Amino acid sequence: MKLVKKTFLIFGIIIYFFISCNSNGRTGSYGEDELLIGSISGILNRYHFVSKNINQKYFNEILNQYFEILDNEKIFFTKSNYDEIKALNNLASEDNFGEILRISEVVENIFNVRGEQLRVTLVNYLQEPMNYDEDEYYDTSTKNRVWVATEEDLLKRWKLRLKNSVETELVAKLEENDKIKIGDAKFKEIEKEARENVTKAVKKIFNELISKKPRDYFNAYLNAMTQIYDRYTTYFPPVDQETFTSGLTGKLEGIGAQINKSDDGSIEIVSLIPGGPSFKQKKLSPGDKILKVGQDDGGEMVDVANLTMNEGLSMIRGKKGTKVRLYVRKISGAEEEISIVRDVIVLQETYARSSVFESGDSLYGYLYLPSFYRDFRNGVARNSSSDVSAELEKFNDLNVKGLVFDLRNNGGGALEDAVKISGFFIENGPIVRVRSSEREHAPLYDRDDSVLFDKPVVVLINENSASASEIVAATLQDYDRVIVMGSEQSFGKGTVQTSFDLNQINALKRFDRDFGGIKLTVQKFYRITGKSTQNIGVKPDIVFPSLSEALEPIESDFPYDDLLAIEFVKWPKSDEEKSLYKDVIDTTTREIAENPYFDEISKKVKLIKKNREKTKVSLNLRKRLQEREEFINKMNQLKVKIEKPFQDFVVQVDRKKADIYGDGWYEDLAKDIYVNTAMKVLSKVTSN
């Protein structure tokens, strides 16, 4: 099972339920946070695919997940801290949510006190050169770590962690210049620089930690409360809810700048989004630092050094047409106040992209869909099925001979769009089957007899193709409509999520506050054959070796199961067409196996996996350099980089699209061996 650890927008369907939940009637003496806990608990137990009893086991699960969120490396809490918080947790119950509030208060106090102590001690520790000849080891795996007994033990763990970080920088520097020898003058120079870089990183960690507010620790508990059900069930505080929604819709209201918290506490401009307010105004530049933020009311500006990243985001973002004031230190060192009128930012990387490949007199379509986007709050807004429909119409007008439909790294999205897009390629019939915890529901159908695109199609997938993208790939594969090419399997997520706007809950409406929302798993989906994609994903007809196979696998939240098959009519093919397709699949499979590039990819994957199994890192610098040199030499023997575009197919560059996509997108496309191989398959099945 090859699942990958990565953060996605993975969900099958998003529906905003405007529900009337009053936390089991608790409205009298309960405060807003207790009502929020009760409301989330009630929603989870009423709607989640898995039901849980609210008992001590339930609260113990939450607490364990809470510690995973706060301190999965076990570098902040001691065993006595854990025991103290567990004792409070033992007092929590469905009728006593107040103890949960005390838990977040105690956690905040521990982080504040210990954070300040550790920051001072560790920064001092990094001021002096380290002994790189000691035979020490640092275990990068946190899986089997236990809580240490004392603060002194915590400090030892931190020192090993920081020494590992310094040596990681040193190894990189020494690899760049093999003339530098351990102990010489140049080594002492880069050693000091490495410690200074790690010091900056440490300051950034602790500045962010100490700037956290009680609300952040409470929100972390709410997240733990949702995540014990499954990894896709999540609580979104207001700012995170906005970010989540923008990922789905491709739009965000703000100044149009990518930002990051700097180690000095300021907010640094990383990049400007083309077409956004900051880009058009030309007063902000990457590298500028925001020191203070104020609104258009002329009030006092707020020092961002005392804010968390989410608080800073919340102040900078805002409704279209409103103004934000930023006190900025420019790269030159000059400081000035800049006012920016917020606007709607279009995140172009969210949307479908297309191109045309040319080979002789033949044209082939290429369509990349990064997600199944849809704005459920706006029925006339842009969505993925409408965009795909428009692109297919363009391909028909160009009379392309076939299409490569690229769903690699597509983490999912709206089930509605997955059903519609699948229907573009078939006459009619069932697309996907869904069941809740109680029963199987009627299949979702394509009921339109028309076929929008009837020519040969190759669907590209990889380990990061999940949820809705797996539905499309699996459906079209089951109908024998397409050839699926890709990694050994797709992600393997066979569940459906929905979103609840917590501000619509009656018990919470009376408070003047944005409570955010939650996303939770409510159903599982199945292929029309009755088979599930859960855990096993979609198996391609033609398998590519892929470097992403080397990523660390994660465990599934749900077991595999299936349903009885239902009837459906496959895409009609003559015996001659069936024979051609089989020959092309067999021939391409052999060609991939014999291709030196793919062979080296397979060897590289095995090498990376083997190296990753070594979680104990030597902190003896000479030993570490020797081990690293051996690994690098083996990797360097595998030349997998492609420098030049392939000559079999020429990518037509649309200058208008290039201004949106960037020239680099077309250049990368021309050198993509997976796309090039898929185009070869298309040319073979359309050769007659």
Side-chain angles (χ1 to χ4, degrees):
M1 179 174 64
K2 295 180 177 61
L3 303 181
V4 293
K5 204 171 198 175
K6 190 163 182 174
T7 302
F8 300 99
L9 290 169
I10 306 176
F11 45 97
I13 182 170
I14 299 295
I15 304 171
Y16 281 84
F17 284 97
F18 296 96
I19 60 173
S20 298
C21 172
N22 66 359
S23 306
N24 300 324
R26 300 187 189 91
T27 56
S29 60
Y30 283 81
E32 55 186 281
D33 284 338
E34 290 165 294
L35 287 170
L36 178 57
I37 295 169
S39 298
I40 292 174
S41 177
I43 292 169
L44 290 169
N45 282 287
R46 182 176 178 183
Y47 294 105
H48 197 279
F49 187 84
V50 175
S51 61
K52 288 181 178 287
N53 294 320
I54 301 181
N55 51 26
Q56 193 56 55
K57 181 183 176 184
Y58 171 81
F59 286 104
N60 287 344
E61 282 186 70
I62 295 173
L63 187 68
N64 289 336
Q65 184 61 30
Y66 190 42
F67 276 107
E68 276 296 304
I69 293 171
L70 295 177
D71 190 16
N72 72 309
E73 290 189 65
K74 294 183 173 61
I75 52 177
F76 288 105
F77 295 103
T78 62
K79 180 66 166 58
S80 60
N81 296 144
Y82 174 80
D83 290 340
E84 177 187 4
I85 297 165
K86 189 174 182 180
L88 286 175
N89 187 67
N90 291 341
L91 299 174
S93 69
E94 187 175 12
D95 297 313
N96 186 16
F97 287 136
E99 292 302 326
I100 293 172
L101 304 182
R102 288 187 60 202
I103 288 173
S104 57
E105 290 170 5
V106 170
V107 165
E108 179 199 7
N109 184 61
I110 292 170
F111 268 116
N112 284 345
V113 174
R114 183 152 298 141
E116 188 59 50
Q117 291 171 340
L118 282 171
R119 178 172 64 172
V120 173
T121 304
L122 295 175
V123 167
N124 288 337
Y125 167 69
L126 287 164
Q127 300 310 299
E128 298 296 329
M130 301 174 183
N131 184 347
Y132 300 106
D133 294 322
E134 291 179 296
D135 284 325
E136 296 179 309
Y137 289 87
Y138 177 69
D139 193 344
T140 58
S141 172
T142 61
K143 193 172 182 180
N144 298 315
R145 281 190 189 177
V146 297
W147 302 107
V148 296
T150 66
E151 292 182 30
E152 185 179 352
D153 294 327
L154 266 186
L155 190 57
K156 287 179 183 177
R157 184 171 282 175
W158 262 106
K159 286 181 176 180
L160 289 174
R161 184 181 188 272
L162 296 185
K163 189 173 183 180
N164 176 61
S165 297
V166 171
E167 287 196 4
T168 300
E169 290 226 2
L170 278 175
V171 168
K173 293 286 186 184
L174 291 170
E175 283 177 357
E176 289 175 10
N177 190 342
D178 58 6
K179 293 181 180 179
I180 302 175
K181 304 301 178 185
I182 296 176
D184 66 17
K186 186 63 179 176
F187 174 81
K188 291 177 181 177
E189 182 182 318
I190 64 169
E191 193 272 344
K192 182 181 178 182
E193 183 182 333
R195 283 187 287 108
E196 287 173 348
N197 290 339
V198 174
T199 301
K200 288 179 183 178
V202 167
K203 287 180 178 179
K204 183 175 180 179
I205 289 171
F206 285 101
N207 286 344
E208 181 74 8
L209 181 70
I210 293 167
S211 67
K212 284 184 183 293
K213 305 298 188 295
R215 175 63 45 196
D216 296 303
Y217 294 105
F218 177 66
N219 289 343
Y221 190 92
L222 296 180
N223 234 319
M225 193 174 178
T226 58
Q227 288 177 12
I228 64 168
Y229 286 82
D230 71 286
R231 74 186 72 251
Y232 306 114
T233 297
T234 308
Y235 167 67
F236 291 123
V239 172
D240 294 339
Q241 174 83 347
E242 188 178 359
T243 302
F244 168 75
T245 303
S246 69
L248 179 63
T249 63
K251 292 181 179 178
L252 180 69
E253 290 180 290
I255 66 170
Q258 299 283 347
I259 61 177
N260 192 23
K261 200 87 154 89
S262 298
D263 54 353
D264 61 3
S266 64
I267 292 177
E268 185 172 357
I269 304 295
V270 178
S271 64
L272 303 180
I273 299 173
S278 300
F279 182 87
K280 291 177 181 177
Q281 188 189 55
K282 301 185 184 303
K283 289 187 178 180
L284 281 177
S285 304
D288 290 350
K289 292 188 175 182
I290 300 171
L291 307 180
K292 298 179 183 180
V293 181
Q295 305 308 315
D296 193 28
D297 54 10
E300 186 178 350
M301 300 188 86
V302 177
D303 188 340
V304 301
N306 300 318
L307 302 178
T308 62
M309 185 63 181
N310 270 358
E311 287 175 320
L313 270 174
S314 182
M315 293 191 70
I316 294 170
R317 288 178 181 172
K319 295 295 182 184
K320 174 183 177 180
T322 60
K323 188 182 292 184
V324 63
R325 296 179 294 129
L326 308 175
Y327 188 73
V328 176
R329 179 184 295 133
K330 304 291 290 180
I331 300 176
S332 63
E335 296 183 0
E336 63 176 298
E337 184 176 313
I338 298 173
S339 293
I340 303 175
V341 178
R342 301 177 177 104
D343 202 350
V344 175
I345 315 301
V346 178
L347 307 175
Q348 291 291 346
E349 66 272 15
T350 304
Y351 297 135
R353 297 183 176 196
S354 69
S355 185
V356 175
F357 282 64
E358 185 177 353
S359 179
D361 296 330
S362 299
L363 299 179
Y364 301 90
Y366 171 80
L367 178 58
Y368 170 61
L369 189 66
S371 70
F372 291 80
Y373 46 89
R374 174 169 289 272
D375 188 344
F376 287 92
R377 303 164 303 179
N378 184 351
V380 297
R382 186 174 183 178
N383 60 70
S384 55
S385 54
S386 295
D387 284 354
V388 169
S389 174
E391 295 293 347
L392 294 178
E393 292 284 11
K394 289 178 187 176
F395 289 141
N396 285 332
D397 292 341
L398 290 169
N399 196 29
V400 299
K401 297 186 73 173
L403 170 70
V404 172
F405 191 11
D406 194 345
L407 295 177
R408 290 176 298 173
N409 304 313
N410 183 319
L415 181 59
E416 176 181 344
D417 290 86
V419 172
K420 286 184 176 181
I421 290 171
S422 298
F424 293 159
F425 299 96
I426 62 171
E427 286 188 358
N428 57 53
I431 301 296
V432 64
R433 300 164 69 184
V434 180
R435 81 171 180 87
S436 60
S437 56
E438 296 87 13
R439 64 185 178 88
E440 181 183 353
H441 299 267
L444 299 178
Y445 274 82
D446 167 42
R447 301 188 183 278
D448 185 351
D449 290 340
S450 65
V451 180
L452 185 55
F453 190 86
D454 62 359
K455 295 177 181 176
V457 179
V458 172
V459 175
L460 278 177
I461 60 172
N462 64 5
E463 294 89 351
N464 300 336
S465 303
S467 195
S469 58
E470 292 177 290
I471 289 174
V472 173
T475 299
L476 298 181
Q477 186 183 55
D478 289 339
Y479 274 97
D480 200 20
R481 173 65 183 89
V482 304
I483 293 176
V484 178
M485 301 178 69
S487 307
E488 190 173 328
Q489 71 164 70
S490 57
F491 190 86
K493 178 185 173 294
T495 55
V496 180
Q497 281 71 43
T498 190
S499 283
F500 285 84
D501 182 353
L502 292 169
N503 299 297
Q504 300 303 319
I505 295 175
N506 285 340
L508 302 176
K509 281 183 177 180
R510 61 193 176 98
F511 299 103
D512 183 22
R513 171 179 156 194
D514 186 348
F515 289 95
I518 62 171
K519 174 169 67 78
L520 67 156
T521 300
V522 291
Q523 295 174 328
K524 294 177 73 174
F525 68 78
Y526 300 80
R527 301 171 73 143
I528 52 178
T529 59
K531 301 295 182 183
S532 172
T533 61
Q534 187 66 29
N535 305 344
I536 64 171
V538 177
K539 308 289 184 184
D541 303 300
I542 300 173
V543 176
F544 284 127
S546 169
L547 274 177
S548 54
E549 291 179 35
L551 297 175
E552 192 172 356
I554 58 175
E555 296 178 4
S556 174
D557 296 297
F558 297 95
Y560 174 87
D561 64 343
D562 53 31
L563 304 173
L564 295 174
I566 59 173
E567 291 186 1
F568 62 95
V569 179
K570 289 191 176 186
W571 183 258
K573 283 181 184 170
S574 66
D575 290 341
E576 184 180 357
E577 286 176 316
K578 290 178 183 177
S579 178
L580 173 62
Y581 271 67
K582 184 180 183 305
D583 286 345
V584 169
I585 289 171
D586 292 343
T587 301
T588 305
T589 299
R590 286 195 301 271
E591 289 173 350
I592 289 172
E594 296 166 0
N595 185 299
Y597 177 87
F598 289 122
D599 180 56
E600 292 187 345
I601 284 285
S602 296
K603 290 176 181 176
K604 202 163 192 175
V605 167
K606 291 177 183 177
L607 190 60
I608 293 171
K609 283 182 175 180
K610 186 176 180 181
N611 189 65
R612 193 184 63 227
E613 291 170 1
K614 300 176 183 177
T615 60
K616 279 195 171 184
V617 179
S618 173
L619 296 182
N620 181 304
L621 187 55
R622 286 182 171 82
K623 287 183 180 178
R624 185 166 182 167
L625 284 167
Q626 184 179 350
E627 291 173 359
R628 177 68 180 171
E629 184 179 1
E630 291 172 359
F631 174 73
I632 292 298
N633 287 339
K634 290 177 182 177
M635 290 288 282
N636 286 340
Q637 292 172 15
L638 305 171
K639 307 293 185 183
V640 295
K641 191 172 181 181
I642 296 174
E643 301 285 355
K644 297 180 180 179
F646 292 99
Q647 301 302 311
D648 310 286
F649 302 88
V650 177
V651 181
Q652 294 185 354
V653 179
D654 184 325
R655 290 313 315 169
K656 290 182 180 179
K657 288 182 178 179
D659 291 339
I660 299 172
Y661 303 161
D663 289 328
W665 185 73
Y666 284 105
E667 293 170 6
D668 291 342
L669 198 57
K671 293 187 288 188
D672 191 323
I673 191 171
Y674 298 98
V675 174
N676 185 266
T677 307
M679 287 292 169
K680 287 182 179 178
V681 169
L682 268 187
S683 67
K684 289 175 183 177
V685 297
T686 59
S687 58
N688 293 338

